Amino acid sequence: MNMKKPQILFLVVAAMLVVSCSEKKKSNDIIAPKVEKPKLQAPIRMQEYTQTKDVKWLDKNYQVEIRRVADDSLKMVKDETGQKFVDNRISLRIMRSDGSVFFSRVFTKAAFDAYLDNDYRQTGILEGLVFDKVDGANLFFAASVSHPQTDEYIPMVVSVSSQGEIGIRRDTDLDTNGGVEEMENQPEN
């Protein structure tokens, strides 16, 4: 029996060596996949946009024309990848029924500067201006400065009075809940 003990011991040691040799050495190195930078394109321009709308305002007919174009003369903005975007200018014209121009103005992001934070001043573009509604002696428009190609934007309200005066404010009354006005008009319990 004395012969079997050394053989068993030898087999146990050999098995331990085989197992320990086959285990991978552990490392504290962190191996991350190489992230390739996206290829930058030529400066990206938004598509040209024109909206023409006939409106009844103070018992008279008017036509509202809004036109957005990318403007190479404006400072370009960059996103976090370095991609450049051309900013826009938007012209607003309000014409009387006889074709004469009641109001005309060209907007750039600078017109909304007082309502933007530094991030949007540096990386935002003037995305849009659309007719919203007639309310008394004012025409209202929705405007936005956005981070290009995202859903992030700062909404603004632009008003034009019957005297041709313009007002701009940040829109804090977004109807994002659908039916908030109806809920607010409900009697309290």
Side-chain angles (χ1 to χ4, degrees):
M1 283 213 179
N2 286 346
M3 285 294 264
K4 285 195 173 193
K5 280 187 182 181
Q7 285 178 343
I8 292 175
L9 184 60
F10 174 75
L11 289 175
V12 171
V13 170
M16 289 174 54
L17 285 173
V18 169
V19 170
S20 67
C21 288
S22 66
E23 286 183 17
K24 292 184 180 179
K25 292 184 179 179
K26 293 186 180 181
S27 169
N28 289 334
D29 294 341
I30 298 173
I31 300 173
K34 183 178 179 183
V35 177
E36 293 198 27
K37 290 183 181 178
K39 286 191 176 191
L40 299 180
Q41 303 173 26
I44 297 174
R45 308 163 70 84
M46 289 187 77
Q47 189 174 20
E48 227 177 85
Y49 170 82
T50 301
Q51 178 193 43
T52 304
K53 179 116 177 130
D54 294 324
V55 297
K56 187 89 163 172
W57 183 32
L58 301 173
D59 295 324
K60 294 183 180 169
N61 295 319
Y62 290 85
Q63 187 176 65
V64 174
E65 179 186 86
I66 299 168
R67 185 166 183 249
R68 176 188 70 204
V69 295
D71 188 341
D72 291 313
S73 71
L74 297 172
K75 182 181 175 188
M76 287 191 199
V77 301
K78 291 182 188 178
D79 67 9
E80 65 277 354
T81 68
Q83 176 62 56
K84 290 183 180 179
F85 294 87
V86 178
D87 206 345
N88 302 302
R89 70 176 156 79
I90 299 176
S91 59
L92 169 62
R93 290 186 346 149
I94 303 170
M95 289 146 311
R96 297 178 186 94
S97 60
D98 66 2
S100 64
V101 176
F102 163 71
F103 179 87
S104 181
R105 178 158 175 187
V106 174
F107 294 91
T108 63
K109 181 173 63 177
F112 303 95
D113 190 68
Y115 309 97
L116 304 175
D117 59 25
N118 285 334
D119 180 35
Y120 279 89
R121 284 186 192 105
Q122 297 300 313
T123 62
I125 61 171
L126 178 58
E127 183 173 357
L129 179 78
V130 294
F131 176 74
D132 184 22
K133 64 183 177 181
V134 174
D135 189 2
N138 293 295
L139 295 177
F140 286 92
F141 302 85
S144 63
V145 173
S146 71
H147 285 138
Q149 296 185 333
T150 71
D151 292 335
E152 301 169 359
Y153 65 96
I154 295 179
M156 253 83 63
V157 175
V158 177
S159 61
V160 177
S161 76
S162 60
Q163 303 302 311
E165 297 167 337
I166 192 154
I168 298 174
R169 66 177 171 82
R170 203 163 177 168
D171 189 354
T172 57
D173 300 326
L174 283 179
D175 183 16
T176 56
N177 295 330
V180 170
E181 291 175 18
E182 292 175 13
M183 290 173 42
E184 289 175 351
N185 294 330
Q186 296 286 329
E188 292 185 23
N189 295 342

